[in-house]
Amino acid sequence: MINKWIVGVILLLGSSLNLVQAATPHLETLMVKALDIEKPIVFNVTLPPSYGKNPDKRYVLLFDFHPRSRGYLDGMHDWMSHNGDWPWLETIIVTAPDGDETLGQLKSRAIEQEGSTALLDFMEQSLLPTIDAKYRTNGFRIMNGFTGNAGLVLYTLLNRPELFNAYLAASPVLSDDFAYVMKSAAVKLERIKGKPRYLMLTTSDSNFEQRQLADFAAFEELLKTANHPALHYKVKRFDGTYYMTQPILATAYGIEWLFDDYHRVLSPDSEIAKGGVKGILDHYRFLSQQKYGFVVPSTDSLIALADAEFAKDSDKGLSIYRAAVEANPESHTAHDALARVYGELKMFDQAIEQQKLALAKTDHPFWTRKYSESLAAFEAQKRP
């Protein structure tokens, strides 16, 4: 009996290990050569588990200068993205090597030499183009950093904001005018133009951060008072927590805040949804074209509005379901929602047509089974 129990445990563990292995991200290194640097800098790259399985999919990019950030970023990303990109859209993570002398010199120049752009030039002309050339990036980039590297996140935002779409700065070093951030912030914040940029700025009251808090408060006040309509920001304090926990908390909160508008279904009584179909489509057009650079579907928000309106006025609700299909013709959920209301209206020919389209748009076992059952029900109801 005991031997059978042991064998069972071993088999169970083996099965679990196989599942973990199947979900393990793929780790690579990437050599980046700059024109004026003789020796390439070798960066670490983590590809999402789906990267090799979905050759047509393109991915968000996150970059962090700290070599040890790879461990917590990889683990958090795997946990926060394995449920269908929620809440973290699947992301290619790139981190810097440990102890690279050339990269260290570039960072030192940015910190110590006022007006130096060597680090920014390296990122713009070498690092980011090399990443984009080798990997299927989708154009949305995040720069992440803790303490001194968070100071460089702010330095990049102020001096070359177009390099990244979002900046996550946890407990940034700002004292002694680190990288001349505080000296230039008032002027450079107001120079941020064009497409929206996003900043999550965090700190806590730990002993290690006390020296930075006065400058942190001053920078926060500049964010509140400067004229920077293209910069969207959030400041969060994690007072009472440990210093070394800060990058974990900041990344988790930053990712949730950053991608919230991608995932959140608009309530029918929200200000945007009160603008009707046009208001919702305008909102998702902004997200797709201005914020992310890739399509953010309006399907679920249009269906939520249609459900609410259909309960009051079937004709108006039906027109919104049709608008959802027109705006998202490849969405199986849009076709299914329209099929459902056609069925409720006893318009079974139309219901069958839309349910077949829903089936054609997905190969997921759950949805194909559900839609097949709905199709069979419509066909049965249609028979005389």
Side-chain angles (χ1 to χ4, degrees), residues 149-221:
N149 291 316
L152 290 175
V153 167
L154 296 177
Y155 158 83
T156 305
L157 169 66
L158 293 176
N159 292 283
R160 207 73 61 88
E162 66 277 9
L163 291 187
F164 295 87
N165 303 83
Y167 297 81
L168 309 181
S171 308
V173 173
L174 294 168
S175 59
D176 300 323
D177 207 14
F178 182 95
Y180 301 91
V181 166
M182 295 305 300
K183 183 177 181 178
S184 64
V187 172
K188 290 181 178 178
L189 280 172
E190 298 198 355
R191 292 180 183 172
I192 298 176
K193 309 291 183 184
K195 290 190 174 183
R197 298 290 180 248
Y198 296 83
L199 169 66
M200 169 66 87
L201 184 67
T202 67
T203 193
S204 80
D205 58 355
S206 77
N207 290 337
F208 292 97
E209 290 158 298
Q210 289 298 318
R211 188 182 174 199
Q212 310 301 329
L213 294 184
D215 284 321
F216 186 96
F219 193 89
E220 181 180 2
E221 185 62 25

Side-chain angles (χ1 to χ4, degrees), residues 6 27 51 74 91 107 143 160 182 233 265 280 362:
I6 292 174
L27 309 180
Y51 191 87
D74 286 5
T91 295
K107 292 171 68 175
M143 187 176 184
R160 207 73 61 88
M182 295 305 300
Y233 72 91
V265 178
I280 291 175
T362 182

